[in-house]
Amino acid sequence: MALKPSSTLGRLTRSAARGQIRHYSPPLEGQVPHAKAKYVPTSGAYPQGFVVSGTHVGVKASNTRFPDLAIIASEKPCSGAAVFTKNKFQAAPVTVSREVLQKRGGSGIRGVVINSGCANAVTGKQGIEDARSMAAEVDRCFSAQGEPDDGQGSSTIVMSTGVIGQPLPIAKILSKIPTGHANLDSSHDAWYLTARAIMTTDTFPKLMTREFTLPSTPNVTYRLAGLTKGAGMIHPNMATLLGIMCTDAPVAPEALKSILTYAVDRSFNAISIDGDTSTNDTVALLANGAAAPPTPFKTIKESTPYSEDYLQLRDTVTSFAADLASLVVRDGEGATKFVTIRVTNAASYEDAKKVASSIARSPLVKTALYGKDANWGRILCATGYASECGVDSVVPTETSVSFVPTDGSPELKLLVKGEPEAVDENRAAQILEEEDLEILVRLSEKPGEEAVYYTCDFSHEYVTINGDYRT
């Protein structure tokens, strides 16, 4: 178990005063839990022309040494797009970042600045001013290097994560932005510290890279890097979740936005830890074209029909985003299982996704998984009450449910076309002992649409972590 920081000791003391001792392992005396170390990369192939930094500010007084200010910057102005939470109480950085992207039409973006430890949400007019001040200070750092002002306002996206309803220690943050800018670097260590800087209740930094090619330039290798955070308050649209992806492929702003929207719908908007949607959720995608060959190569644009390059990049970003979002689920607060819910043979993708979402957010399904109980009736119940599906989209006599083991052995059928199977409880118990599990729901025997959702189980520890989160 990781060593408990002083803030945890304080929580334990207060809990003891209330007559109860609670034990859990939140962040992070610099140690990644042994079981999560396999998800943390030791190297990466990072996109050209992007530099990053993670800097200690001490946004939370209890954080005396870990980085909590992140900057991700392109060495030249780039295309940018973002998808935001649909919570009606939208945090100040969400409002400010949306304004930046709308005013610029997604072009001329220089980077992202992020603080952890305070969400700057439900903080009134002062919160808006503080978010704008963070962006302006990053802009000032670029101007000090002789960057020309294009007259379109700020070129910096802002994100914040942490406790809701508390003001930012804005003076402390602004004083450290020049330090973060001065330390911008392209090394793996810099990317790792940046991923570490955006963590809250996460137990490990979530960082990935990928290389890919495009049909029009098969001899050119492009790169994609992504970092994300989130462990609780996770459910579309989207989660207490921040994500940033960067590529050195050349992409026009309108194409970048449609690619990101498509990808997020099938990744960050297809995960659920606890059914709560936060005030700050933002996923951004930046593309600077630094790896593009000289002209006459063309920037990827949105067109009808879509070009081969557009489709290849869309699918690459979608697959990458799904893998990145999966790390959030694997770090779900108190989670012991990573669960893939696959709904197939649906009348539409939307129906399949709604059924998968219903199962993913069912507390009874999630607690049964934690207890290693093959209680498939709960899966059927959640399938049956999935809301807003099409007429006759779920027909009990056509529905089948199975557990799919991760070792490649045959699926364990629980229900076939509405008829219960004689379940081998010993095999079910063996399947549920594993960290990874797939639940397969077929809504029909006829070929149809498929959706995939990622979730985790509910444990005692989830309640403990969130019962003490603020105090």
Side-chain angles (χ1 to χ4, degrees), residues 281-366:
D281 316 332
T282 305
V283 176
L285 176 60
L286 306 180
N288 66 7
T295 53
F297 181 79
K298 295 182 179 180
T299 298
I300 297 171
K301 297 182 179 179
E302 190 174 26
S303 59
T304 305
Y306 294 131
S307 69
E308 289 185 347
D309 280 353
Y310 176 94
L311 292 173
Q312 178 63 48
L313 181 61
R314 187 191 69 181
D315 291 346
T316 298
V317 172
T318 300
S319 173
F320 181 80
D323 289 345
L324 195 60
S326 295
L327 295 179
V328 174
V329 179
R330 291 192 180 279
D331 201 22
E333 290 172 344
T336 68
K337 294 191 182 304
F338 176 83
V339 185
T340 300
I341 299 171
R342 190 179 305 275
V343 177
T344 67
N345 299 347
S348 67
Y349 169 76
E350 291 74 18
D351 282 353
K353 188 174 180 184
K354 286 170 183 173
V355 170
S357 173
S358 182
I359 298 168
R361 67 176 186 266
S362 166
L364 290 179
V365 171
K366 293 157 78 69

Side-chain angles (χ1 to χ4, degrees), residues 191-208:
W191 280 91
Y192 179 89
L193 282 177
T194 305
R196 177 65 183 84
I198 66 175
M199 291 168 52
T200 51
T201 60
D202 308 65
T203 67
F204 67 93
K206 299 166 182 65
L207 173 65
M208 288 176 51

Side-chain angles (χ1 to χ4, degrees), residues 117-419:
C118 177
N120 192 14
V122 199
T123 47
K125 294 179 180 179
Q126 186 59 52
I128 297 289
E129 291 304 312
D130 289 346
R132 287 175 176 157
S133 294
M134 288 175 63
E137 183 60 21
V138 176
D139 296 335
R140 190 196 64 77
C141 289
F142 284 117
S143 297
Q145 293 182 319
E147 296 284 345
D149 184 353
D150 62 6
Q152 297 185 61
S154 178
S155 61
T156 302
I157 297 170
V158 187
M159 302 182 192
S160 298
T161 182
V163 177
I164 294 169
Q166 296 183 358
L168 285 175
I170 189 62
K172 292 171 68 175
I173 292 173
L174 296 180
S175 71
K176 287 298 185 75
I177 286 177
T179 302
H181 183 268
N183 291 335
L184 288 170
D185 190 61
S186 60
S187 68
H188 170 74
D189 287 347
W191 280 91
Y192 179 89
L193 282 177
T194 305
R196 177 65 183 84
I198 66 175
M199 291 168 52
T200 51
T201 60
D202 308 65
T203 67
F204 67 93
K206 299 166 182 65
L207 173 65
M208 288 176 51
T209 63
R210 187 161 297 171
E211 295 183 325
F212 64 96
T213 60
L214 296 172
S216 65
T217 52
N219 296 322
V220 177
T221 298
Y222 298 101
R223 293 176 173 179
L224 185 61
L227 51 114
T228 188
K229 64 82 51 186
M233 203 183 281
I234 303 291
H235 187 71
N237 293 289
M238 285 172 285
T240 309
L241 181 150
L242 303 179
I244 307 94
M245 295 179 286
C246 305
T247 182
D248 51 17
V251 193
E254 72 279 2
L256 199 71
K257 181 60 183 291
S258 66
I259 287 170
L260 179 63
T261 300
Y262 181 94
V264 165
D265 190 49
R266 290 157 178 78
S267 56
F268 291 103
N269 276 346
I271 61 175
S272 184
I273 288 175
D274 49 20
D276 268 314
T277 299
S278 181
T279 53
N280 290 60
D281 316 332
T282 305
V283 176
L285 176 60
L286 306 180
N288 66 7
T295 53
F297 181 79
K298 295 182 179 180
T299 298
I300 297 171
K301 297 182 179 179
E302 190 174 26
S303 59
T304 305
Y306 294 131
S307 69
E308 289 185 347
D309 280 353
Y310 176 94
L311 292 173
Q312 178 63 48
L313 181 61
R314 187 191 69 181
D315 291 346
T316 298
V317 172
T318 300
S319 173
F320 181 80
D323 289 345
L324 195 60
S326 295
L327 295 179
V328 174
V329 179
R330 291 192 180 279
D331 201 22
E333 290 172 344
T336 68
K337 294 191 182 304
F338 176 83
V339 185
T340 300
I341 299 171
R342 190 179 305 275
V343 177
T344 67
N345 299 347
S348 67
Y349 169 76
E350 291 74 18
D351 282 353
K353 188 174 180 184
K354 286 170 183 173
V355 170
S357 173
S358 182
I359 298 168
R361 67 176 186 266
S362 166
L364 290 179
V365 171
K366 293 157 78 69
T367 51
L369 293 172
Y370 174 66
K372 303 171 186 176
D373 179 9
N375 193 339
W376 55 265
R378 295 180 176 181
I379 299 170
L380 260 293
C381 183
T383 300
Y385 65 60
S387 62
E388 299 179 358
C389 289
V391 177
D392 296 329
S393 58
V394 178
V395 180
T397 56
E398 297 181 9
T399 302
S400 301
V401 177
S402 298
F403 287 157
V404 181
T406 57
D407 61 6
S409 60
E411 66 187 82
L412 177 62
K413 296 181 179 181
L414 307 171
L415 185 83
V416 177
K417 292 191 289 186
E419 294 292 331

